[in-house]
């Protein structure tokens, strides 16, 4: 049993981590640090836990914890780590954007197991990928691995309202979002940088454009992504490349059936489907933005670091309908 | 053509009034008063109007308007009328709760046409009914009219998220409300007072209880209400009473089919259905909380006051699906 | 490890059983019998399982299985058991209505653990309760236990679209149900019989009416129920009665917070809240109709029969948002 | 007053036509022909009309009607016109795909007013455009008008469940569609042909590809479309081209605000927004698939043919929230 801590306990990703870790057979959830909620029952915020747990939010951290997950707003992780010290053996998994781009001033490993499994196993510091970044990168990474990204990639993805976080805002107000749809941050989403970094780690000469239009969907959870680009081989060749690449992936599967979002909601899975039209390869990917796109992947990284079964605590029952 | 003004233009009920009045053949929408939005295009807030109107919010009222609709928060109408003067011929329709209860210090008429049509026609001041109050009162008023409310009435109703107004709140956050359901203010909803007042105007000795459980539904618009009470007559007798009572109603209809909410969404209609089980009469009512439950009924009152066709400007196309 | 079989594998309750049992540490899912789907992969119907399982539907049963779950349409379980023989040690859990009412010609035990835990542990044949029946019975059973059901009970409940099963119908067509609400089978729902049977097992003289209005909500999963009746004691006394009654319940909890449906979606929990208004006690209950209202409770019964931990395989992560 | 008839009255597009035409000041709705529903009240199918109309479905057509709308399944319009004769003065508006592609064996005019207004005014036979076709064509037609479609166009659009018609199917079952999202018919949607035909009527040398991915959204009404292609001019130049092209359009407006679907739901409007990123022009378009994408546009065509005000009967109140 390892001791785990969560920093910033009131948001969606913290809530999902709590739900997973309190049932994880190898983990003791040692503390959930929240300055704003300190002393209150965790079930007062994450109210599905009523009756199930006596956990309370803590105003103090345990610097000796074996693993600490940072669920802070983007920009705050770096500040938190400057102001708080953990022991040498403490592993840090940061869910913000702060350390996703490699830089000389930090040694965080980008925590996408399909890309970096061996480095993750040895890492002390993990930068957990973004939700759109995970869905898009997994859709096209096998092409980059084989040096096959030759022209622009055209990407359209839609995310649920949990993607916008717990803060109240007009576009997450029920009367606005219900039965609505809208695009935002077209061509300029902040996840493009980490996607490009991952692709170039395999195909350094990749210089085409990633044309990405994100959309707000009127559902709570999940990302549905379509991406297409030129691919001169056959569908069978594409399938072979993808199946080989994901052959040992614990949660990412290439399937032949038409995909829909609810296949993966409330799971840590990413499903991929390939289709060929003319000289284009279309890849569809679906995942749960809060699990494979955030907290589930964070636990998957923890499992790899501590040598647990990669799927431990993550074989979740899909809601499905 | 009469000149109409709206006080408080950014909320849902103001928006619905604007949509109706700008297409009403007898009305010129003269001003929409909003201190917070003064100078801005109306279509910047009510964005369905983009391309259709050049109207802007005004920082001033026109005290000579023929009719003024008050779309202010509850408690603010009284204050507004104390601080602002309108001409003697100006009719006021207040959509707040401020003047719904008869009192010695005001002469507002309760604007439920099915109850008070003749008084409304002669009124200068109208207190427009609440949304739940309209749905519930219309469901049981014919019984009171005939002195037949003899035992407790059991009422359960569900409202859409627009019922909670434009303010952002946890229970109107999309991720909370989507696919959710909850009861609130059980037995204590503020509309019980005006419902009781209407019932007693017909049946002064009514002294049983109105047991009312309001609920939050995961839809944007509409109220669905079921109410039952002891009724010793037959279904046919009940039907006769209701059909007689609503024989000349412009928007309230008694039907024999099973009802569902979307029959009335985006219309000014209230549909009622009667069923008899043992010695109980069950009445189901459905209406759009923002139209028959608010702005549509306000325009219906205006039509009555100015002698227009009662349905003028209100024969709206239902969304239905 | 026990061998489990499922009869009728394509519906919602079968799907949920598969999702639970394939992750249950004490169970081997031995066969899923479906004449219509025999030979096909289970993941072709329950498509969230793509990539996770190689299970196929079977055209044959294994009569030596330790436990068999019947997920057949109402009326078909009796017929199936007449035409198929299982070994003497095989336990049967039937999810239909066929055996819920005690009768001389069968010896099924009504599988509501909060009512019949000791009988269930010794049972060979279990009639798993209905979804509405579970939500309503759990809401008022402690009153019956104490002989306190003295007057009519007024019940209003709303269920998600999964409650109507997988068959396509007008009221489960998306364009009809989306943002809609409707009542149905008022005062005449078929679950009233089993609720009455459970209440009378504790309070044989109970002779008041259960006035129950079921509703169709525009969500997929869950039941939200409010029930009120006369109660002369204080709220504290009511709380004491309920907490005592549910003191050792594995999944039913009495809480003080306002309830909403999504607290229990995708879990096997039932949450209850008590409020007192005048001389009335209001009980709100929420559960997932497919889990505590069907397949989860079936597995809970299996756990009791085989002496497993009652929560084994059922500590599911709520979807929550 | 002209006499109008509708052929095939039970579907969504027929329902919308009925709702519009029964309130159209220049139209008498003479007959609604439905073999399956003949004799039944129209309000038994289109149940929002309960209380408002005594219209019944007819088993016979009136061959002298001034205008007849064909709301038949694709492939059935041609057959119907072969088997039924109308008078010489009868105008036909066909809502199916049957006559949208110009051919030697018919003289139907493609009824997109923004493209063909003058021809429509003189037409006897109108082929009403498809819903996706309208959204996409309006998004890029001004570029074709100016010979500026030089490279591939990348189009992603999402439609509501009404787009799939009234037939019950798995992907329109509530439990499937609710909170779900999926792509279908990628690169191969049947509307691509009519879009290409419209573009080439302006820019005959257009030979690039229209890469179109349609999606199923979990809402009932509306189409949200994004399209981008190379455009070497500035945003201002693009705005000028679009505003000039749509300067006299009755329902299509170019706006500068971020768009969302609910701005146009239950209206006959199409809103367009332009953005420039690098050398790409992104155009977003939104419309209601049943109105501007079907029945509203059909009435707009009727208005043009008969010389009515183009917006007559079509100034509908948006639902908006």
């Amino acid at each position: 049993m390892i001791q785990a801590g969560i920093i910033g306990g009131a948001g969606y990703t913290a809530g999902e981590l709590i739900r997973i870790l309190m049932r994880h057979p190898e983990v003791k959830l040692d503390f959930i640090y929240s300055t704003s909620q300190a002393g209150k029952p965790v079930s007062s915020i994450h109210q599905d836990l009523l009756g199930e747990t006596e956990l309370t939010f803590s105003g103090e951290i345990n610097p000796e914890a074996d693993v600490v997950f940072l669920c802070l707003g983007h920009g705050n992780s770096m500040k938190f780590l400057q102001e708080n010290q953990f022991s040498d053996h403490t592993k840090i998994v940061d869910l913000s954007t702060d350390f996703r781009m490699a830089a000389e001033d930090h040694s965080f490993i980008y925590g996408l197991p399909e890309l970096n499994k061996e480095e993750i196993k040895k890492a002390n510091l993990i930068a957990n990928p973004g939700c759109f970044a995970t869905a898009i990168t997994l859709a096209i990474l096998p092409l980059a691995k084989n040096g096959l990204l030759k022209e622009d990639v055209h990407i359209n993805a839609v995310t649920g309202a949990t993607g916008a976080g717990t803060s109240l805002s007009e576009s997450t107000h029920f009367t606005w979002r219900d039965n609505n749809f809208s695009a935002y941050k077209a061509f300029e989403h902040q996840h493009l940088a980490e996607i490009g970094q991952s692709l170039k780690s395999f195909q350094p000469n990749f210089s085409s454009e990633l044309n990405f239009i994100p959309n707000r969907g009127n559902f709570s959870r999940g990302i549905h992504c379509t991406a297409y680009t030129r691919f001169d081989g056959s569908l069978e060749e594409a399938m072979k490349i993808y199946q080989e690449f994901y052959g040992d992936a614990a949660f990412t599967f290439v399937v032949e059936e038409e995909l829909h979002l609810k296949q993966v909601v409330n799971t840590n899975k990413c499903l991929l489907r390939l289709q060929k039209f003319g000289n284009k390869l279309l890849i569809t990917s679906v995942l749960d933005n809060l699990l494979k796109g955030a907290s589930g992947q964070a636990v998957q990284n923890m499992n790899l670091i501590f040598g647990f079964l990669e799927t431990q605590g993550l074989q979740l029952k899909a809601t499905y309908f």
Side-chain angles (χ1 to χ4, degrees), chain A:
Chain A
M1 293 279 277
I2 59 170
Q3 306 280 322
I6 297 172
I7 308 299
Y12 292 141
T13 55
E16 294 295 271
L17 275 172
I18 294 167
R19 290 177 188 97
I20 296 169
L21 295 178
M22 63 185 273
R23 298 176 174 93
H24 193 295
E26 305 281 359
V27 174
K28 178 173 180 311
L29 190 42
D30 185 53
F31 70 90
I32 304 165
Y33 175 78
S34 167
T35 48
S36 63
Q37 309 294 333
K40 292 190 196 163
V42 166
S43 63
S44 68
I45 298 293
H46 305 296
Q47 299 186 338
D48 55 300
L49 300 178
L50 281 170
E52 273 183 279
T53 178
E54 301 298 315
L55 281 170
T56 54
F57 292 107
S58 171
E60 289 178 32
I61 62 172
N62 170 7
E64 297 295 322
D66 296 297
V67 61
V68 170
F69 296 89
L70 307 186
C71 298
L72 299 165
H74 300 308
N76 294 330
S77 291
M78 201 175 292
K79 191 154 161 270
F80 179 84
L81 291 178
Q82 285 161 353
E83 295 172 357
N84 292 273
Q85 284 286 88
F86 290 93
S87 78
D88 286 352
H89 74 274
T90 304
K91 315 294 185 187
I92 306 284
V93 181
D94 177 35
L95 282 84
S96 82
T97 60
D98 291 12
F99 302 102
R100 290 183 195 154
M101 298 305 290
E104 297 209 345
D105 62 354
H106 75 77
S107 53
F108 277 74
I109 298 295
Y110 189 70
L112 187 67
E114 291 81 355
L115 174 68
N116 281 333
K117 192 174 285 190
E118 295 312 313
E119 289 87 339
I120 293 167
K121 287 180 181 173
K122 296 173 290 189
N124 289 310
L125 303 168
I126 295 284
N128 209 57
C131 51
F132 273 133
T134 301
I136 295 167
T137 305
L138 293 178
I140 53 179
L141 197 56
L143 295 178
K145 179 65 160 46
N146 292 275
L148 293 168
L149 283 178
K150 293 176 179 166
E151 295 193 1
D152 285 6
V153 188
H154 302 278
I155 306 162
N156 195 291
V158 53
T159 185
T162 50
T166 52
S167 302
L168 306 179
S169 68
E170 194 202 20
S171 66
T172 55
H173 199 46
F174 185 82
T175 58
W176 191 93
R177 189 115 179 186
D178 174 40
N179 268 13
N180 209 352
F181 196 88
S182 57
Y184 70 109
K185 294 189 186 174
F187 295 96
E188 296 178 335
H189 195 281
Q190 64 273 16
H191 287 180
L192 284 168
E194 56 185 286
I195 299 166
Q197 173 181 267
S198 297
L199 298 179
K200 282 181 186 160
S201 75
F202 279 142
Q203 185 179 333
N205 69 348
F206 173 64
S207 62
S208 304
E209 289 185 53
L210 299 173
N211 299 293
F212 170 33
I213 301 187
N215 298 279
R216 299 180 190 98
N218 63 317
F219 46 84
S220 290
R221 276 175 179 262
I223 287 176
H224 180 282
C225 168
T226 49
Y228 59 89
T229 191
R230 178 165 182 164
F231 179 79
D232 292 323
S234 66
L235 179 61
E236 289 65 36
E237 289 167 314
M239 283 294 282
K240 193 161 165 248
I241 287 169
Y242 275 70
Q243 277 165 341
E244 226 165 81
F245 188 82
Y246 292 118
D248 68 341
F251 294 103
T252 301
F253 304 104
V254 185
V255 304
E256 304 196 20
E257 289 83 355
E258 187 177 306
L259 292 180
H260 56 98
L261 188 62
K262 292 214 290 192
Q263 290 174 284
V264 295
V265 167
N266 210 30
T267 79
N268 198 47
K269 292 165 74 168
C270 176
L271 293 181
L272 296 169
R273 183 196 189 197
L274 308 184
Q275 291 168 280
K276 188 87 197 291
F277 299 96
N279 64 358
K280 295 190 188 70
L281 182 69
L282 170 68
I283 309 104
T284 306
S285 66
V286 287
L287 54 73
D288 186 314
N289 59 309
L290 294 175
L291 293 170
K292 184 61 179 168
S295 304
Q297 187 145 267
V299 174
Q300 187 180 355
N301 283 316
M302 177 197 80
N303 285 342
L304 289 170
I305 292 171
F306 289 92
F308 304 145
L309 197 59
E310 192 171 350
T311 57
Q312 191 74 275
L314 292 170
Q315 288 177 308
L316 303 168
K317 179 193 163 301
T319 312
Y320 197 46
F321 31 68

